Amino acid sequence: MAAVMPSPPPAPSSAAAAAAGPFPTARATASDRRRAPRGSTYHFKPYNVGRWLVWGAYAAALIVAPLLWTSSLAQTMLSQMGIAIIACLSYNLLLGQGGMLSFGHAVYSGLGAYLAIHTLNLVSGGQLALPVSLVPIVGGLAGLGFAALFGWVSTKKSGTPFAMITLGLGELIWSMSLMLPEFFGGEGGISGNRVVGQPLLGISFGPQIQVYYLIAVYCFICTGLLYAFTRTPLGRMLNAVRDNPERVQFIGYDTQWVRFLAFLISGFFAGVSGGLSALNFEIVTAEVVGAARSGAYLLFTFLGGATFFFGPIIGAVLMVVALVLLSELTKAWLLYLGLTFLFMVMYAPGGFAALIMMNLRVAAFGKLRQLWTSYLALGVTGLTVLLGGSAMVEMLYHLQLNEALGPEMRYLGATLNAKSLDAWFGAGFVLLTGLALFEVARRQYKREWDEVQADIDKEIKRRESL
Amino acid sequence: MLSAGLTLIFSMMGVLNFAHASFYMLGAYVAYTITGWIGFWPALLLAPLVVGGLGALFERGALRRVHKFGHVPELLITFGLSYVALEVVQLIWGRTALPFSPPPSLQGAAFTLVHAPQQSLSLVWGDAPAALCAAASCSKFPLTRAFMMLVALFMLLALWLLLTRTRIGLVIQAALTHPEMVEALGHNVPRVFMLVFGSGCALAALAGVIGGITFVTEPAMAVIVGSIIFVVVVIGGVGSLAGAFVASILIGLLQTLPLTVDASLAKVFQLGPETFGYPLLKLTLAQVAPILPYLLMVLILIFRPKGLLGTRED
């Protein structure tokens, strides 16, 4: 039983905010306040400044970003990021919150994209009266429908069998996409035109910036809804199913049903992202349902951090940056990506989000100053390793792919001869020195990190005992 | 038949190896290189050993580290490895297909079916003489495929004997189900896991060597077999050796037999293009063949979720 507290008169601003608050907790405050005069328990909930700040900053970032980066490349990338954020968040509903490792998530976003583009073509053909801005919802409903169909089969199992089944289903849809050119458009895909009908308030969705803001609005609403979902009883149950399915079954819940519901919701949001991508690119090709796309969702959701709600957002931004910029920069980008992923799984299973949160915790206790020299050492030695290693990789690739151009190649502004022993020896030397120094720095860092963590734990205990 | 060998390892390892197909591919490539140095037959023996060693190293360096986090990180790390392996192969051997042809002793036909106009079918061992084929229609059965079957059968038999009839098999099986107990009895369980994983990779590589000479040795070869293995495991029942065997034969038949049938539902019922769903109905059985295994998997999941011969339902 919670302690009965005297009910202080709530600040008027708090009451207004609570009434307007979109989150369940805010509503709880309002209902508690109503009950308070009748003399029941009153849980004092302060006005949650931090939450409004975070969501406000998120919205502001979405609004301001295209004004800061105005080039058309940046706008396309930002649009793709918005789409990827929805897709990765919906994927994380399965992976992070439900513990379901799906290898076929592209099926739902891809089929959503297909139905959205067909709807768009119906709209432009005059057979259907639907505003263009609602086309992504159609994609979402399509994702929901297919998730209901396939999810019923795949959520019968959990863990590893689930992963295999989603992989098989992904392959099924992928092979069907080549078999049914009437629906999937074969190799060329299906194209559409998003500028349909009379412009409303000057918005025709012709310019990229208007599409971006449509995506941004969808992105913000979907993020909000998905976050709100984590606060619902179903969302909590999903976490319980992930952590301890036996116990959940024991208290009378059907784990399969909980997984299925989560799968449905995830499918819906994946479909929305697919519908947005159909609007954005105005073309949908068969690769949107392919295994490579599913793999990318998995990879980047994990890299961003599956254990935190905001992890996939980082992952989605990274995904677009990697797919658009890194693949331009080097041909071996998949190798770097794979290696990063391997090391991440081994050493930081929480992804970037966890790394950030751990360091925020250290900073909150004012201990970051003890660590910054180690970080510097780690960074410098790590860069050395990267420099040597990537020089070798690039030289190998150069030998493999650009044989005709001669052995000379450009690498970070320097000219390397990929066939000379000098360059190989130099790169190998840099790599080995870097590795040795990195190991030294890593041990030092590990020692300091453990010390700091122990200090923080002690500090927490001390504060608790006060 | 090839995936029979592959899938057996899956069940044996306990750890689901997403990079299994990558080891299959590595086997083919390593064997190609060794063949260039010392010939095919040593390569058939050495390549699995090399790849098995690599697999054991990976288990020791990476997989063991994430073992304590549970099954999903294990799956993830092998998934990451499949990316890296693909890129490394492209880095070393290039992106195009390699001319990895079978050795002279495996070239040619195992037997030839001769269909002469006057008589019924007859069978000639080895290549039929050209004169005979000029008069009749010949269809050859390549020697590499016969060799593949032979190796697969031998592998299955050896594996089955090893697992059920020897002490090593007993320890392995026990280590998978009751690791603490086996540890208490004085066996080094991590080393058992490492060896099992390594030998699993070696068997995959063996399959890869034979697959490499029979089909094409190219970077995409891992992707081609990759997903079908999972289907086989699901259909056969997770954790069931015999189930995997039955399922792989079933899938093999399902993938090859329909290719000869050129009928579609639209043809059978003589429907015109105006019927509802005509694009779906006009597909011939041969066209549908690639998705049949996946369809079978879905059906199995609906009607018998534990797989054909599976015992566990989780």
Side-chain angles (χ1 to χ4, degrees), chain B residues 40-72:
Chain B
F40 176 75
W41 295 106
L44 185 66
L45 197 69
L46 279 179
L49 285 182
V50 171
V51 176
L54 286 178
L57 268 183
F58 171 73
E59 202 278 339
R60 198 186 157 76
L63 202 57
R64 192 176 293 180
R65 199 179 285 273
V66 298
H67 187 71
K68 54 180 178 290
F69 300 139
H71 274 300
V72 169

PDB file of all heavy atoms in Angstrom, chain B residues 40-72:
ATOM      1  N   PHE B  40      42.773 -32.621 -56.789  1.00  0.00           N
ATOM      2  CA  PHE B  40      41.431 -32.626 -56.228  1.00  0.00           C
ATOM      3  C   PHE B  40      41.283 -33.544 -55.020  1.00  0.00           C
ATOM      4  O   PHE B  40      40.682 -33.184 -54.021  1.00  0.00           O
ATOM      5  CB  PHE B  40      40.425 -33.054 -57.301  1.00  0.00           C
ATOM      6  CG  PHE B  40      39.030 -33.170 -56.769  1.00  0.00           C
ATOM      7  CD1 PHE B  40      38.286 -32.034 -56.509  1.00  0.00           C
ATOM      8  CD2 PHE B  40      38.477 -34.418 -56.501  1.00  0.00           C
ATOM      9  CE1 PHE B  40      37.005 -32.140 -56.011  1.00  0.00           C
ATOM     10  CE2 PHE B  40      37.195 -34.516 -55.994  1.00  0.00           C
ATOM     11  CZ  PHE B  40      36.457 -33.385 -55.751  1.00  0.00           C
ATOM     12  N   TRP B  41      41.832 -34.753 -55.099  1.00  0.00           N
ATOM     13  CA  TRP B  41      41.545 -35.721 -54.033  1.00  0.00           C
ATOM     14  C   TRP B  41      42.097 -35.297 -52.685  1.00  0.00           C
ATOM     15  O   TRP B  41      41.394 -35.433 -51.689  1.00  0.00           O
ATOM     16  CB  TRP B  41      42.015 -37.114 -54.453  1.00  0.00           C
ATOM     17  CG  TRP B  41      41.209 -37.576 -55.629  1.00  0.00           C
ATOM     18  CD1 TRP B  41      41.636 -37.652 -56.926  1.00  0.00           C
ATOM     19  CD2 TRP B  41      39.827 -37.937 -55.638  1.00  0.00           C
ATOM     20  NE1 TRP B  41      40.611 -38.035 -57.742  1.00  0.00           N
ATOM     21  CE2 TRP B  41      39.485 -38.229 -56.982  1.00  0.00           C
ATOM     22  CE3 TRP B  41      38.843 -38.037 -54.658  1.00  0.00           C
ATOM     23  CZ2 TRP B  41      38.216 -38.625 -57.365  1.00  0.00           C
ATOM     24  CZ3 TRP B  41      37.577 -38.448 -55.038  1.00  0.00           C
ATOM     25  CH2 TRP B  41      37.261 -38.726 -56.370  1.00  0.00           C
ATOM     26  N   PRO B  42      43.355 -34.775 -52.646  1.00  0.00           N
ATOM     27  CA  PRO B  42      43.787 -34.220 -51.346  1.00  0.00           C
ATOM     28  C   PRO B  42      42.906 -33.071 -50.894  1.00  0.00           C
ATOM     29  O   PRO B  42      42.620 -32.916 -49.706  1.00  0.00           O
ATOM     30  CB  PRO B  42      45.212 -33.727 -51.630  1.00  0.00           C
ATOM     31  CG  PRO B  42      45.645 -34.428 -52.839  1.00  0.00           C
ATOM     32  CD  PRO B  42      44.425 -34.739 -53.627  1.00  0.00           C
ATOM     33  N   ALA B  43      42.428 -32.275 -51.877  1.00  0.00           N
ATOM     34  CA  ALA B  43      41.594 -31.125 -51.524  1.00  0.00           C
ATOM     35  C   ALA B  43      40.298 -31.575 -50.878  1.00  0.00           C
ATOM     36  O   ALA B  43      39.793 -30.949 -49.946  1.00  0.00           O
ATOM     37  CB  ALA B  43      41.310 -30.293 -52.769  1.00  0.00           C
ATOM     38  N   LEU B  44      39.760 -32.678 -51.379  1.00  0.00           N
ATOM     39  CA  LEU B  44      38.507 -33.192 -50.824  1.00  0.00           C
ATOM     40  C   LEU B  44      38.680 -33.502 -49.344  1.00  0.00           C
ATOM     41  O   LEU B  44      37.750 -33.376 -48.552  1.00  0.00           O
ATOM     42  CB  LEU B  44      38.089 -34.449 -51.592  1.00  0.00           C
ATOM     43  CG  LEU B  44      36.748 -35.044 -51.221  1.00  0.00           C
ATOM     44  CD1 LEU B  44      35.639 -34.094 -51.599  1.00  0.00           C
ATOM     45  CD2 LEU B  44      36.549 -36.375 -51.911  1.00  0.00           C
ATOM     46  N   LEU B  45      39.878 -33.882 -48.972  1.00  0.00           N
ATOM     47  CA  LEU B  45      40.142 -34.210 -47.577  1.00  0.00           C
ATOM     48  C   LEU B  45      40.562 -32.977 -46.778  1.00  0.00           C
ATOM     49  O   LEU B  45      40.127 -32.769 -45.647  1.00  0.00           O
ATOM     50  CB  LEU B  45      41.248 -35.267 -47.532  1.00  0.00           C
ATOM     51  CG  LEU B  45      41.379 -36.013 -46.216  1.00  0.00           C
ATOM     52  CD1 LEU B  45      40.179 -36.917 -46.022  1.00  0.00           C
ATOM     53  CD2 LEU B  45      42.659 -36.798 -46.196  1.00  0.00           C
ATOM     54  N   LEU B  46      41.438 -32.160 -47.422  1.00  0.00           N
ATOM     55  CA  LEU B  46      42.052 -31.044 -46.687  1.00  0.00           C
ATOM     56  C   LEU B  46      41.084 -29.882 -46.485  1.00  0.00           C
ATOM     57  O   LEU B  46      41.048 -29.278 -45.407  1.00  0.00           O
ATOM     58  CB  LEU B  46      43.288 -30.549 -47.436  1.00  0.00           C
ATOM     59  CG  LEU B  46      44.550 -31.367 -47.211  1.00  0.00           C
ATOM     60  CD1 LEU B  46      45.695 -30.800 -48.022  1.00  0.00           C
ATOM     61  CD2 LEU B  46      44.906 -31.352 -45.731  1.00  0.00           C
ATOM     62  N   ALA B  47      40.303 -29.556 -47.511  1.00  0.00           N
ATOM     63  CA  ALA B  47      39.434 -28.370 -47.409  1.00  0.00           C
ATOM     64  C   ALA B  47      38.476 -28.470 -46.229  1.00  0.00           C
ATOM     65  O   ALA B  47      38.356 -27.514 -45.453  1.00  0.00           O
ATOM     66  CB  ALA B  47      38.673 -28.172 -48.719  1.00  0.00           C
ATOM     67  N   PRO B  48      37.808 -29.621 -46.039  1.00  0.00           N
ATOM     68  CA  PRO B  48      36.961 -29.712 -44.845  1.00  0.00           C
ATOM     69  C   PRO B  48      37.742 -29.521 -43.559  1.00  0.00           C
ATOM     70  O   PRO B  48      37.243 -28.897 -42.617  1.00  0.00           O
ATOM     71  CB  PRO B  48      36.386 -31.120 -44.937  1.00  0.00           C
ATOM     72  CG  PRO B  48      36.395 -31.439 -46.359  1.00  0.00           C
ATOM     73  CD  PRO B  48      37.628 -30.799 -46.902  1.00  0.00           C
ATOM     74  N   LEU B  49      38.981 -30.044 -43.532  1.00  0.00           N
ATOM     75  CA  LEU B  49      39.780 -29.884 -42.311  1.00  0.00           C
ATOM     76  C   LEU B  49      40.075 -28.417 -42.055  1.00  0.00           C
ATOM     77  O   LEU B  49      39.930 -27.928 -40.934  1.00  0.00           O
ATOM     78  CB  LEU B  49      41.095 -30.666 -42.442  1.00  0.00           C
ATOM     79  CG  LEU B  49      40.960 -32.177 -42.308  1.00  0.00           C
ATOM     80  CD1 LEU B  49      42.327 -32.826 -42.396  1.00  0.00           C
ATOM     81  CD2 LEU B  49      40.309 -32.510 -40.979  1.00  0.00           C
ATOM     82  N   VAL B  50      40.468 -27.707 -43.122  1.00  0.00           N
ATOM     83  CA  VAL B  50      40.793 -26.283 -42.971  1.00  0.00           C
ATOM     84  C   VAL B  50      39.571 -25.518 -42.505  1.00  0.00           C
ATOM     85  O   VAL B  50      39.611 -24.752 -41.528  1.00  0.00           O
ATOM     86  CB  VAL B  50      41.311 -25.714 -44.309  1.00  0.00           C
ATOM     87  CG1 VAL B  50      41.445 -24.210 -44.229  1.00  0.00           C
ATOM     88  CG2 VAL B  50      42.628 -26.350 -44.680  1.00  0.00           C
ATOM     89  N   VAL B  51      38.447 -25.732 -43.197  1.00  0.00           N
ATOM     90  CA  VAL B  51      37.241 -24.985 -42.857  1.00  0.00           C
ATOM     91  C   VAL B  51      36.738 -25.386 -41.467  1.00  0.00           C
ATOM     92  O   VAL B  51      36.278 -24.535 -40.699  1.00  0.00           O
ATOM     93  CB  VAL B  51      36.161 -25.208 -43.930  1.00  0.00           C
ATOM     94  CG1 VAL B  51      34.879 -24.522 -43.543  1.00  0.00           C
ATOM     95  CG2 VAL B  51      36.640 -24.688 -45.262  1.00  0.00           C
ATOM     96  N   GLY B  52      36.864 -26.667 -41.156  1.00  0.00           N
ATOM     97  CA  GLY B  52      36.485 -27.105 -39.815  1.00  0.00           C
ATOM     98  C   GLY B  52      37.314 -26.411 -38.753  1.00  0.00           C
ATOM     99  O   GLY B  52      36.808 -25.999 -37.713  1.00  0.00           O
ATOM    100  N   GLY B  53      38.618 -26.243 -39.048  1.00  0.00           N
ATOM    101  CA  GLY B  53      39.483 -25.520 -38.124  1.00  0.00           C
ATOM    102  C   GLY B  53      39.038 -24.083 -37.948  1.00  0.00           C
ATOM    103  O   GLY B  53      38.967 -23.563 -36.828  1.00  0.00           O
ATOM    104  N   LEU B  54      38.698 -23.458 -39.067  1.00  0.00           N
ATOM    105  CA  LEU B  54      38.204 -22.080 -39.003  1.00  0.00           C
ATOM    106  C   LEU B  54      36.938 -22.010 -38.157  1.00  0.00           C
ATOM    107  O   LEU B  54      36.769 -21.113 -37.330  1.00  0.00           O
ATOM    108  CB  LEU B  54      37.901 -21.562 -40.412  1.00  0.00           C
ATOM    109  CG  LEU B  54      39.083 -21.206 -41.295  1.00  0.00           C
ATOM    110  CD1 LEU B  54      38.599 -20.768 -42.659  1.00  0.00           C
ATOM    111  CD2 LEU B  54      39.879 -20.095 -40.646  1.00  0.00           C
ATOM    112  N   GLY B  55      36.054 -22.985 -38.381  1.00  0.00           N
ATOM    113  CA  GLY B  55      34.808 -23.013 -37.620  1.00  0.00           C
ATOM    114  C   GLY B  55      35.072 -23.153 -36.134  1.00  0.00           C
ATOM    115  O   GLY B  55      34.474 -22.466 -35.313  1.00  0.00           O
ATOM    116  N   ALA B  56      36.014 -24.038 -35.793  1.00  0.00           N
ATOM    117  CA  ALA B  56      36.334 -24.237 -34.379  1.00  0.00           C
ATOM    118  C   ALA B  56      36.903 -22.964 -33.781  1.00  0.00           C
ATOM    119  O   ALA B  56      36.576 -22.582 -32.654  1.00  0.00           O
ATOM    120  CB  ALA B  56      37.325 -25.388 -34.247  1.00  0.00           C
ATOM    121  N   LEU B  57      37.756 -22.279 -34.559  1.00  0.00           N
ATOM    122  CA  LEU B  57      38.324 -21.011 -34.087  1.00  0.00           C
ATOM    123  C   LEU B  57      37.217 -20.000 -33.826  1.00  0.00           C
ATOM    124  O   LEU B  57      37.225 -19.293 -32.816  1.00  0.00           O
ATOM    125  CB  LEU B  57      39.273 -20.448 -35.146  1.00  0.00           C
ATOM    126  CG  LEU B  57      40.722 -20.824 -35.040  1.00  0.00           C
ATOM    127  CD1 LEU B  57      41.522 -20.134 -36.122  1.00  0.00           C
ATOM    128  CD2 LEU B  57      41.246 -20.422 -33.661  1.00  0.00           C
ATOM    129  N   PHE B  58      36.268 -19.938 -34.756  1.00  0.00           N
ATOM    130  CA  PHE B  58      35.168 -18.985 -34.602  1.00  0.00           C
ATOM    131  C   PHE B  58      34.364 -19.313 -33.345  1.00  0.00           C
ATOM    132  O   PHE B  58      33.990 -18.423 -32.578  1.00  0.00           O
ATOM    133  CB  PHE B  58      34.276 -19.035 -35.845  1.00  0.00           C
ATOM    134  CG  PHE B  58      33.021 -18.248 -35.694  1.00  0.00           C
ATOM    135  CD1 PHE B  58      33.062 -16.869 -35.717  1.00  0.00           C
ATOM    136  CD2 PHE B  58      31.801 -18.877 -35.528  1.00  0.00           C
ATOM    137  CE1 PHE B  58      31.912 -16.137 -35.578  1.00  0.00           C
ATOM    138  CE2 PHE B  58      30.649 -18.152 -35.383  1.00  0.00           C
ATOM    139  CZ  PHE B  58      30.704 -16.781 -35.401  1.00  0.00           C
ATOM    140  N   GLU B  59      34.145 -20.612 -33.135  1.00  0.00           N
ATOM    141  CA  GLU B  59      33.391 -21.005 -31.951  1.00  0.00           C
ATOM    142  C   GLU B  59      34.117 -20.552 -30.701  1.00  0.00           C
ATOM    143  O   GLU B  59      33.521 -20.001 -29.781  1.00  0.00           O
ATOM    144  CB  GLU B  59      33.225 -22.526 -31.937  1.00  0.00           C
ATOM    145  CG  GLU B  59      32.068 -23.021 -31.114  1.00  0.00           C
ATOM    146  CD  GLU B  59      32.380 -23.112 -29.632  1.00  0.00           C
ATOM    147  OE1 GLU B  59      33.573 -23.185 -29.250  1.00  0.00           O
ATOM    148  OE2 GLU B  59      31.422 -23.106 -28.854  1.00  0.00           O
ATOM    149  N   ARG B  60      35.434 -20.761 -30.709  1.00  0.00           N
ATOM    150  CA  ARG B  60      36.208 -20.448 -29.520  1.00  0.00           C
ATOM    151  C   ARG B  60      36.313 -18.948 -29.271  1.00  0.00           C
ATOM    152  O   ARG B  60      36.152 -18.475 -28.152  1.00  0.00           O
ATOM    153  CB  ARG B  60      37.614 -21.028 -29.686  1.00  0.00           C
ATOM    154  CG  ARG B  60      38.334 -21.149 -28.400  1.00  0.00           C
ATOM    155  CD  ARG B  60      39.759 -21.569 -28.564  1.00  0.00           C
ATOM    156  NE  ARG B  60      40.470 -21.122 -27.383  1.00  0.00           N
ATOM    157  CZ  ARG B  60      40.381 -21.724 -26.215  1.00  0.00           C
ATOM    158  NH1 ARG B  60      39.626 -22.792 -26.092  1.00  0.00           N
ATOM    159  NH2 ARG B  60      41.020 -21.269 -25.167  1.00  0.00           N
ATOM    160  N   GLY B  61      36.527 -18.202 -30.382  1.00  0.00           N
ATOM    161  CA  GLY B  61      36.774 -16.778 -30.215  1.00  0.00           C
ATOM    162  C   GLY B  61      35.516 -15.958 -30.032  1.00  0.00           C
ATOM    163  O   GLY B  61      35.504 -14.993 -29.272  1.00  0.00           O
ATOM    164  N   ALA B  62      34.463 -16.330 -30.744  1.00  0.00           N
ATOM    165  CA  ALA B  62      33.305 -15.445 -30.766  1.00  0.00           C
ATOM    166  C   ALA B  62      32.058 -16.089 -30.175  1.00  0.00           C
ATOM    167  O   ALA B  62      31.411 -15.533 -29.290  1.00  0.00           O
ATOM    168  CB  ALA B  62      33.026 -15.012 -32.204  1.00  0.00           C
ATOM    169  N   LEU B  63      31.759 -17.284 -30.630  1.00  0.00           N
ATOM    170  CA  LEU B  63      30.481 -17.874 -30.251  1.00  0.00           C
ATOM    171  C   LEU B  63      30.419 -18.166 -28.758  1.00  0.00           C
ATOM    172  O   LEU B  63      29.407 -17.951 -28.100  1.00  0.00           O
ATOM    173  CB  LEU B  63      30.287 -19.163 -31.051  1.00  0.00           C
ATOM    174  CG  LEU B  63      28.856 -19.649 -31.192  1.00  0.00           C
ATOM    175  CD1 LEU B  63      28.006 -18.576 -31.826  1.00  0.00           C
ATOM    176  CD2 LEU B  63      28.817 -20.886 -32.037  1.00  0.00           C
ATOM    177  N   ARG B  64      31.556 -18.634 -28.219  1.00  0.00           N
ATOM    178  CA  ARG B  64      31.566 -18.988 -26.803  1.00  0.00           C
ATOM    179  C   ARG B  64      31.327 -17.764 -25.934  1.00  0.00           C
ATOM    180  O   ARG B  64      30.751 -17.826 -24.868  1.00  0.00           O
ATOM    181  CB  ARG B  64      32.912 -19.619 -26.472  1.00  0.00           C
ATOM    182  CG  ARG B  64      32.952 -20.285 -25.126  1.00  0.00           C
ATOM    183  CD  ARG B  64      34.260 -20.956 -24.898  1.00  0.00           C
ATOM    184  NE  ARG B  64      34.473 -22.104 -25.785  1.00  0.00           N
ATOM    185  CZ  ARG B  64      35.571 -22.831 -25.753  1.00  0.00           C
ATOM    186  NH1 ARG B  64      36.527 -22.528 -24.920  1.00  0.00           N
ATOM    187  NH2 ARG B  64      35.719 -23.852 -26.561  1.00  0.00           N
ATOM    188  N   ARG B  65      31.806 -16.620 -26.458  1.00  0.00           N
ATOM    189  CA  ARG B  65      31.674 -15.392 -25.699  1.00  0.00           C
ATOM    190  C   ARG B  65      30.217 -14.969 -25.541  1.00  0.00           C
ATOM    191  O   ARG B  65      29.829 -14.414 -24.524  1.00  0.00           O
ATOM    192  CB  ARG B  65      32.454 -14.301 -26.421  1.00  0.00           C
ATOM    193  CG  ARG B  65      32.793 -13.113 -25.599  1.00  0.00           C
ATOM    194  CD  ARG B  65      33.570 -12.149 -26.448  1.00  0.00           C
ATOM    195  NE  ARG B  65      34.935 -12.563 -26.674  1.00  0.00           N
ATOM    196  CZ  ARG B  65      35.922 -12.268 -25.848  1.00  0.00           C
ATOM    197  NH1 ARG B  65      35.687 -11.571 -24.769  1.00  0.00           N
ATOM    198  NH2 ARG B  65      37.137 -12.649 -26.105  1.00  0.00           N
ATOM    199  N   VAL B  66      29.419 -15.214 -26.604  1.00  0.00           N
ATOM    200  CA  VAL B  66      28.030 -14.788 -26.515  1.00  0.00           C
ATOM    201  C   VAL B  66      27.119 -15.905 -26.038  1.00  0.00           C
ATOM    202  O   VAL B  66      25.923 -15.707 -25.884  1.00  0.00           O
ATOM    203  CB  VAL B  66      27.505 -14.266 -27.872  1.00  0.00           C
ATOM    204  CG1 VAL B  66      28.276 -13.062 -28.310  1.00  0.00           C
ATOM    205  CG2 VAL B  66      27.535 -15.336 -28.920  1.00  0.00           C
ATOM    206  N   HIS B  67      27.694 -17.077 -25.814  1.00  0.00           N
ATOM    207  CA  HIS B  67      26.871 -18.225 -25.434  1.00  0.00           C
ATOM    208  C   HIS B  67      26.039 -17.924 -24.191  1.00  0.00           C
ATOM    209  O   HIS B  67      24.892 -18.320 -24.073  1.00  0.00           O
ATOM    210  CB  HIS B  67      27.776 -19.429 -25.191  1.00  0.00           C
ATOM    211  CG  HIS B  67      27.024 -20.694 -24.950  1.00  0.00           C
ATOM    212  ND1 HIS B  67      26.336 -21.334 -25.954  1.00  0.00           N
ATOM    213  CD2 HIS B  67      26.832 -21.426 -23.832  1.00  0.00           C
ATOM    214  CE1 HIS B  67      25.752 -22.408 -25.460  1.00  0.00           C
ATOM    215  NE2 HIS B  67      26.036 -22.492 -24.181  1.00  0.00           N
ATOM    216  N   LYS B  68      26.635 -17.173 -23.258  1.00  0.00           N
ATOM    217  CA  LYS B  68      25.939 -16.941 -22.000  1.00  0.00           C
ATOM    218  C   LYS B  68      24.763 -15.981 -22.151  1.00  0.00           C
ATOM    219  O   LYS B  68      23.888 -15.939 -21.306  1.00  0.00           O
ATOM    220  CB  LYS B  68      26.910 -16.417 -20.938  1.00  0.00           C
ATOM    221  CG  LYS B  68      27.676 -15.182 -21.371  1.00  0.00           C
ATOM    222  CD  LYS B  68      28.606 -14.733 -20.246  1.00  0.00           C
ATOM    223  CE  LYS B  68      29.439 -13.534 -20.629  1.00  0.00           C
ATOM    224  NZ  LYS B  68      30.473 -13.822 -21.641  1.00  0.00           N
ATOM    225  N   PHE B  69      24.733 -15.232 -23.269  1.00  0.00           N
ATOM    226  CA  PHE B  69      23.624 -14.292 -23.459  1.00  0.00           C
ATOM    227  C   PHE B  69      22.362 -14.970 -23.965  1.00  0.00           C
ATOM    228  O   PHE B  69      21.311 -14.359 -24.017  1.00  0.00           O
ATOM    229  CB  PHE B  69      24.008 -13.184 -24.455  1.00  0.00           C
ATOM    230  CG  PHE B  69      25.181 -12.361 -24.020  1.00  0.00           C
ATOM    231  CD1 PHE B  69      26.148 -11.966 -24.915  1.00  0.00           C
ATOM    232  CD2 PHE B  69      25.299 -11.969 -22.700  1.00  0.00           C
ATOM    233  CE1 PHE B  69      27.231 -11.209 -24.508  1.00  0.00           C
ATOM    234  CE2 PHE B  69      26.374 -11.214 -22.278  1.00  0.00           C
ATOM    235  CZ  PHE B  69      27.340 -10.836 -23.187  1.00  0.00           C
ATOM    236  N   GLY B  70      22.470 -16.206 -24.415  1.00  0.00           N
ATOM    237  CA  GLY B  70      21.273 -16.906 -24.870  1.00  0.00           C
ATOM    238  C   GLY B  70      21.288 -17.182 -26.358  1.00  0.00           C
ATOM    239  O   GLY B  70      22.292 -16.998 -27.027  1.00  0.00           O
ATOM    240  N   HIS B  71      20.148 -17.659 -26.850  1.00  0.00           N
ATOM    241  CA  HIS B  71      20.106 -18.166 -28.214  1.00  0.00           C
ATOM    242  C   HIS B  71      20.108 -17.079 -29.269  1.00  0.00           C
ATOM    243  O   HIS B  71      20.698 -17.237 -30.323  1.00  0.00           O
ATOM    244  CB  HIS B  71      18.858 -19.034 -28.410  1.00  0.00           C
ATOM    245  CG  HIS B  71      19.094 -20.444 -27.987  1.00  0.00           C
ATOM    246  ND1 HIS B  71      20.065 -21.224 -28.569  1.00  0.00           N
ATOM    247  CD2 HIS B  71      18.505 -21.214 -27.061  1.00  0.00           C
ATOM    248  CE1 HIS B  71      20.062 -22.410 -28.005  1.00  0.00           C
ATOM    249  NE2 HIS B  71      19.122 -22.425 -27.067  1.00  0.00           N
ATOM    250  N   VAL B  72      19.419 -15.971 -28.975  1.00  0.00           N
ATOM    251  CA  VAL B  72      19.275 -14.958 -30.022  1.00  0.00           C
ATOM    252  C   VAL B  72      20.619 -14.323 -30.388  1.00  0.00           C
ATOM    253  O   VAL B  72      20.945 -14.208 -31.576  1.00  0.00           O
ATOM    254  CB  VAL B  72      18.218 -13.918 -29.603  1.00  0.00           C
ATOM    255  CG1 VAL B  72      18.246 -12.733 -30.523  1.00  0.00           C
ATOM    256  CG2 VAL B  72      16.845 -14.556 -29.629  1.00  0.00           C
TER     257      VAL B  72
END
